[in-house]
Amino acid sequence: MITKWIFSRSLSSQVHHSFVTTPIFYVNAAPHIGHLYSAVIADAIHRFNRLRSPKSSETCFLSTGTDEHGLKIQQAAIQHATSTEDYCNTIASKYRQMFGRFHIDYSRFIRTTDSDHRSAVQAFWRSLVSSDSVYSASYAGWYCVPDETFLTDSQLKENERGEKCSSESGHPVEWTEEQNYMFRLSRFQDDVRYWVKSLDDRIQPEKFRKILLDYLDEPLPDISISRPVNRVSWGITVPSDPTQSVYVWLDALVNYLTVAGYPNESFRARWPPSVQVLGKDILKFHGIYWPAFLIAADLEPPRQLLVHSHWTVDNQKMSKSKMNVVDPNERAELYTHEGLRYFLLREGVAHSDGNYSDTKILRILNSELADTLGNLLSRCCGRALNPGSIFPAIDVESFESLKQLDVTCRLLEALNEMPGKTQQHYENFNFYLAVDTIIHLLHTTNNFFETTAPWKLRKSDSIADRAMLNTILSVTMEVLRQTGISLQPVVPMLAKQLLDKLRISAEGRQWSNLEVSFRTQDALLSDEESILFRRIVLPVQTSTDQQEKRAPKKRKQAT
């Protein structure tokens, strides 16, 4: 069965808007660095899209939020001796606060307890029923409460105590028998497989596309999409059947429709999502269940899924039992919010787990943000070399002389190549490669600055030497201008501080402004301080993986 949406020329690959989503985060615990990683990836994509298309910024939309229904939430509220509603309010506010501090520029923060979401879920349920995709049946199987899902025998293993548990998460399971509503997932297996294969970049990176196709090689069983209210009361009631609540994953996935405005017809102006960011642990829900639900409701699935891997801590899996869960707010007190954003996007690669260590983050932030970028700005703007505090005009004769130097040629080559390379890396979601390109340009510029030694020219009374000094400063500041523009998706506040210092107008900060443009007239710099990022010195060394002191291994290119 291949449904009609596949053949519509207006669908599948032609998305003329930018609708980016994060997964909504389950409120059974406070946010950790993995949640922040999903959010900063989506935020970087969203910010880059706006830089590319500033005149159509109203079509750029980013959604995030919290998933607040289900048995785990009921249990967590009991453990915290509070009402379920108050518990959800508390945890949801922690996510809002964290996203605000890390400048996640979302368009909508949705909670599954929002009234418009309840209406959307019930409308979507009725759509599934009307397509004959839902039936009632007695269901029995192994249910994993922490993962909120039923598991087949092939998805189970025995733990060291001989108890059955999920082979993927290791969480315990319990045998459950109950009357449920079932979704005819098996009916849509061919459709989902076609959707995955119809675009080469539908699932990124490629390794997760292969994983998804492996899932689809096995027959898909029909799945339960409701739970008895007497077992899971904290949820959205099934329309026309108050004895059942909507399965938490169906409820959660519909959030993407809710933020688009569903079921009002106006939602079609935004639908489908252009990129949905998610962690690898929820690939099956987004890569199989979600497109199947949408196809059953005669709606187009998302244009693309960007799946990212997880973070370990000092090369160990992050877990409460090991007491090594990284609190982003706590770490930001040491490394700043922009510093932590930079580290996650600088070091994270979607296809492989990243390793968080305090030794590594300290080294990277001091080397790149403080020494390579920050120090270059300070030297150009400081009174010692620039007493007039100006962005000087370039002197043509001096510039021609500078171009005879190999170091200048290398700088100009890197400067001309940087916009195209970073654009390609941003478009491919390889943020670490975009930063690599920018840092390479800054290293080249620092080499140029050291070789031309402008501090020696500052001591001279020669007009020619003064012209040469200003030209060196002007070339360096042009690099800093382009650095500020191109780093906006990664460290928006740091980039803003840099561009503010150079007095670059708001209209001059778009991607189209990355063409090399040397100053022909002097311009005053801002009175803001020129210290962009201070070196971090910790009073005592935080626990780290000692191996990080060694030279880091090269990361493999994403396949």
Side-chain angles (χ1 to χ4, degrees):
M1 175 183 175
I2 305 297
T3 48
K4 64 184 180 181
W5 66 267
I6 289 173
F7 302 104
S8 172
R9 296 180 64 86
S10 65
L11 301 180
S12 293
S13 61
Q14 299 301 316
V15 178
H16 300 291
H17 56 262
S18 168
F19 176 16
V20 183
T21 72
T22 76
I24 54 172
F25 304 104
Y26 211 40
V27 296
N28 63 318
H32 58 64
I33 201 165
H35 303 129
L36 178 63
Y37 185 49
S38 291
V40 295
I41 288 174
D43 184 64
I45 296 170
H46 176 61
R47 289 178 182 275
F48 174 70
N49 289 338
R50 288 196 310 185
L51 288 175
R52 291 290 310 283
S53 306
K55 292 183 180 179
S56 58
S57 59
E58 66 277 2
T59 66
C60 293
F61 193 93
L62 171 63
S63 71
T64 189
T66 45
D67 178 5
E68 303 181 16
H69 289 139
L71 185 58
K72 273 197 298 187
I73 307 305
Q74 292 177 207
Q75 294 173 344
I78 292 170
Q79 290 172 0
H80 287 81
T82 186
S83 71
T84 314
E85 183 177 359
D86 286 346
Y87 173 78
C88 289
N89 289 338
T90 298
I91 302 298
S93 68
K94 290 183 178 181
Y95 277 95
R96 280 185 181 274
Q97 291 167 4
M98 181 180 75
F99 291 161
R101 290 165 181 159
F102 284 92
H103 305 288
I104 307 301
D105 191 23
Y106 55 80
S107 311
R108 166 78 188 266
F109 186 100
I110 184 172
R111 300 176 59 185
T112 53
T113 49
D114 291 344
S115 59
D116 64 337
H117 178 67
R118 178 179 297 272
S119 299
V121 169
Q122 293 187 328
F124 189 74
W125 180 281
R126 287 191 287 268
S127 181
L128 294 180
V129 171
S130 67
S131 69
D132 190 32
S133 301
V134 177
Y135 62 96
S136 179
S138 177
Y139 189 82
W142 293 103
Y143 188 77
C144 181
V145 173
D147 298 336
E148 297 276 13
T149 187
F150 281 97
L151 300 173
T152 63
D153 288 340
S154 64
Q155 296 172 304
L156 300 173
K157 67 177 182 180
E158 287 192 356
N159 59 25
E160 61 276 6
R161 296 185 298 275
E163 301 166 335
K164 288 187 181 295
C165 64
S166 166
S167 58
E168 184 173 341
S169 68
H171 294 146
V173 296
E174 58 187 40
W175 185 257
T176 301
E177 298 183 26
E178 57 193 24
Q179 190 75 19
N180 285 341
Y181 286 100
M182 305 291 293
F183 174 73
R184 301 184 195 276
L185 181 63
S186 55
R187 176 187 288 181
F188 300 98
Q189 180 155 354
D190 289 341
D191 291 295
V192 174
R193 185 187 292 110
Y194 187 98
W195 169 74
V196 172
K197 290 184 172 182
S198 61
L199 280 180
D200 289 341
D201 64 348
R202 180 77 73 195
I203 314 295
Q204 290 279 60
E206 172 66 18
K207 68 177 287 185
F208 295 113
R209 180 176 183 268
K210 293 177 179 176
I211 290 172
L212 208 51
L213 289 173
D214 285 344
Y215 284 146
L216 290 164
D217 280 344
E218 300 293 328
L220 295 179
D222 292 351
I223 58 172
S224 168
I225 55 171
S226 74
R227 303 295 309 281
V229 167
N230 60 11
R231 284 178 61 85
V232 185
S233 59
W234 184 247
I236 297 174
T237 305
V238 169
S240 75
D241 189 348
T243 69
Q244 296 276 316
S245 61
V246 176
Y247 173 53
V248 66
W249 266 104
L250 175 56
D251 168 3
L253 288 165
V254 174
N255 95 85
Y256 306 123
L257 283 165
T258 306
V259 299
Y262 181 87
N264 297 325
E265 276 299 304
S266 59
F267 92 96
R268 296 184 186 277
R270 182 163 292 138
W271 197 261
S274 45
V275 184
Q276 297 209 261
V277 177
L278 57 133
K280 65 181 183 181
D281 56 320
I282 53 176
L283 173 61
K284 182 185 295 184
F285 295 98
H286 285 76
I288 295 180
Y289 299 170
W290 180 222
F293 291 150
L294 289 167
I295 294 168
D298 199 23
L299 295 174
E300 186 184 4
R303 195 261 177 216
Q304 190 173 40
L305 301 183
L306 173 59
V307 187
H308 66 77
S309 299
H310 295 163
W311 283 87
T312 60
V313 179
D314 293 338
N315 292 314
Q316 294 187 351
K317 184 177 179 179
M318 190 163 50
S319 69
K320 293 179 184 177
S321 62
K322 294 180 180 177
M323 301 182 66
N324 66 346
V325 176
V326 177
D327 180 345
N329 293 311
E330 176 187 314
R331 282 301 187 266
E333 292 296 317
L334 298 173
Y335 306 120
T336 76
H337 295 91
E338 290 290 275
L340 196 50
R341 269 188 72 118
Y342 182 84
F343 173 78
L344 291 175
L345 292 173
R346 176 73 169 111
E347 283 298 300
V349 291
H351 57 86
S352 302
D353 287 349
N355 182 52
Y356 178 94
S357 82
D358 290 295
T359 299
K360 182 192 288 184
I361 188 171
L362 188 66
R363 185 183 69 241
I364 288 174
L365 296 186
N366 281 340
S367 171
E368 297 183 358
L369 292 187
D371 297 346
T372 302
L373 173 58
N375 191 45
L376 191 62
L377 178 70
S378 296
R379 296 173 82 180
C380 286
C381 300
R383 295 290 180 182
L385 292 182
N386 193 350
S389 191
I390 60 170
F391 191 146
I394 201 165
D395 178 74
V396 176
E397 185 176 340
S398 299
F399 188 51
E400 289 300 319
S401 177
L402 281 173
K403 286 197 290 186
Q404 305 306 309
L405 300 175
D406 286 344
V407 69
T408 309
C409 293
R410 289 195 296 272
L411 182 154
L412 294 176
E413 180 182 8
L415 183 60
N416 280 292
E417 290 179 348
M418 187 273 289
K421 286 185 175 181
T422 52
Q423 177 174 324
Q424 181 181 7
H425 295 322
Y426 279 136
E427 289 174 345
N428 292 331
F429 315 125
N430 289 323
F431 304 105
Y432 73 100
L433 291 178
V435 176
D436 275 347
T437 303
I438 296 165
I439 292 298
H440 169 70
L441 171 60
L442 289 171
H443 284 157
T444 305
T445 307
N446 273 285
N447 190 23
F448 163 81
F449 203 81
E450 288 295 321
T451 302
T452 54
W455 54 88
K456 295 180 181 178
L457 300 171
R458 175 71 179 90
K459 300 174 183 177
S460 173
D461 293 328
S462 165
I463 294 177
D465 286 347
R466 290 300 178 92
M468 179 62 77
L469 168 62
N470 283 341
T471 301
I472 293 169
L473 293 178
S474 186
V475 169
T476 305
M477 288 186 184
E478 170 61 13
V479 170
L480 290 168
R481 181 187 73 86
Q482 295 213 30
T483 295
I485 293 173
S486 56
L487 276 178
Q488 288 176 101
V490 178
V491 277
M493 295 301 105
L494 208 63
K496 179 181 184 300
Q497 185 182 341
L498 170 56
L499 295 170
D500 284 350
K501 181 62 182 179
L502 299 179
R503 286 193 186 274
I504 306 302
S505 68
E507 298 76 21
R509 301 183 182 193
Q510 306 306 323
W511 201 259
S512 59
N513 299 121
L514 280 176
E515 294 182 0
V516 177
S517 177
F518 292 114
R519 286 292 172 97
T520 57
Q521 291 184 326
D522 291 351
L524 283 174
L525 298 174
S526 164
D527 292 334
E528 301 289 333
E529 69 171 357
S530 57
I531 299 176
L532 191 64
F533 193 91
R534 298 178 186 277
R535 282 186 61 84
I536 300 167
V537 180
L538 301 183
V540 291
Q541 186 177 355
T542 315
S543 83
T544 59
D545 180 357
Q546 296 300 315
Q547 293 179 353
E548 292 298 339
K549 293 181 178 179
R550 306 171 189 169
K553 297 179 181 178
K554 292 184 179 179
R555 287 165 295 178
K556 294 180 179 179
Q557 174 74 39
T559 56

